[in-house]
Amino acid sequence: RIIKDPMFIKALKNTFVYVFWSLLLGYAFPIFTAVMMNEILRGRKTMRFLVYFPSAMPAVSVMMLWFLIYYPDASGLLNIILSWVGIEPQIWLQDSRHTIMYIIICMTWSGAGATAIYYFSALQEVSRELYEAAIVDGAGFWRRFRVVTFPHISGVALLFLVRQIVGVFSVMEQPLQMTDGGPDGASMTLGLLAYKYGFVSVRPQLSMAINVIMFLILIVFTGFYFYLNKKVEDSRG
């Protein structure tokens, strides 16, 4: 029954769209943030605090903050900024074409800091002599990143790739708080649909069916994650 449900098909497609936008907007951002923290010499502790601070905020507070930033009338923060340059207020989260992208921006702002700290920790294991040798050879920032930095964090980056896919695939709280799955189901996810069937429309059989399907999909990614994690640990050992 659930496979024939049009809302299930829409939620399944939306969930993969969430993963796509998350990888496009949020995967590389923590890496380059960590690299910038590693490159600077002054104010490193302050930058680490500023980067990690959004991750320390309560999730509900973050979602309410971004809901007010995206508020569709003239009182929304983004619309106030647009009004300064003479642009009409935008509907933001009510725009079904870009709702998922806006939610992913909120999720990236909230979660990228903690991931960046992991990458920064991995970068501390890279010998400074390698950077110094690259600088002597005339390597610029991008060449140092390609030749020295990325090879040392590629294993961690691969693990976080799979981890991010698993985490975003089960997203539920952000669309629930910010859009309630709207407009017209444009931001509905499998997790949120399972919640609605289980606690709103009280159809627990359909909710359990969705959870079983999510489990079967995620167990593949999780198994792949543990396989990669073992490979990375073996290479370090």
Side-chain angles (χ1 to χ4, degrees):
R1 285 172 56 192
I2 195 63
I3 292 177
K4 296 179 181 179
D5 186 349
M7 185 54 70
F8 168 78
I9 302 300
K10 192 169 190 175
L12 180 63
K13 292 179 180 178
N14 286 347
T15 303
F16 280 104
V17 174
Y18 273 94
V19 172
F20 168 77
W21 278 114
S22 174
L23 297 178
L24 184 65
L25 299 177
Y27 179 65
F29 180 71
I31 298 176
F32 286 105
T33 302
V35 171
M36 293 304 298
M37 286 192 295
N38 191 54
E39 289 282 332
I40 64 174
L41 300 177
R42 294 184 178 180
R44 182 177 289 184
K45 291 183 179 179
T46 302
M47 187 172 181
R48 272 186 289 177
F49 169 77
L50 294 175
V51 167
Y52 185 74
F53 179 72
S55 300
M57 295 177 62
V60 175
S61 299
V62 171
M63 287 179 277
M64 290 303 300
L65 171 65
W66 279 90
F67 177 78
L68 295 175
I69 290 174
Y70 286 134
Y71 208 71
D73 64 19
S75 64
L77 179 60
L78 285 177
N79 284 334
I80 290 175
I81 296 173
L82 291 179
S83 68
W84 295 344
V85 292
I87 300 177
E88 293 293 323
Q90 304 296 309
I91 58 176
W92 302 112
L93 291 173
Q94 302 305 314
D95 184 351
S96 60
R97 299 170 300 171
H98 304 124
T99 305
I100 293 177
M101 181 183 68
Y102 295 142
I103 294 176
I104 288 296
I105 291 174
C106 165
M107 294 171 61
T108 300
W109 181 84
S110 175
T115 306
I117 296 299
Y118 278 106
Y119 283 122
F120 178 75
S121 177
L123 289 175
Q124 300 311 295
E125 300 178 4
V126 183
S127 173
R128 301 301 301 181
E129 295 178 356
L130 295 176
Y131 286 109
E132 293 171 0
I135 293 173
V136 171
D137 290 339
F141 173 80
W142 290 109
R143 188 179 175 189
R144 293 200 305 271
F145 175 79
R146 180 172 54 87
V147 177
V148 179
T149 304
F150 189 73
H152 285 84
I153 63 171
S154 57
V156 178
L158 191 57
L159 288 177
F160 272 105
L161 173 66
V162 181
R163 184 178 177 181
Q164 184 164 328
I165 292 173
V166 171
V168 175
F169 199 88
S170 56
V171 64
M172 188 270 283
E173 295 90 349
Q174 288 82 359
L176 173 64
Q177 292 287 337
M178 298 179 72
T179 62
D180 197 33
D184 194 26
S187 59
M188 184 67 69
T189 65
L190 290 178
L192 180 55
L193 186 62
Y195 165 80
K196 285 184 172 291
Y197 278 147
F199 297 98
V200 179
S201 58
V202 194
R203 289 189 279 179
Q205 296 90 345
L206 298 183
S207 178
M208 287 187 288
I210 294 174
N211 286 318
V212 169
I213 293 172
M214 289 180 62
F215 171 78
L216 294 176
I217 295 174
L218 289 177
I219 198 172
V220 176
F221 288 116
T222 304
F224 187 52
Y225 172 82
F226 283 117
Y227 169 77
L228 292 177
N229 188 46
K230 187 175 184 302
K231 286 285 187 181
V232 171
E233 290 180 350
D234 291 344
S235 65
R236 288 182 175 180

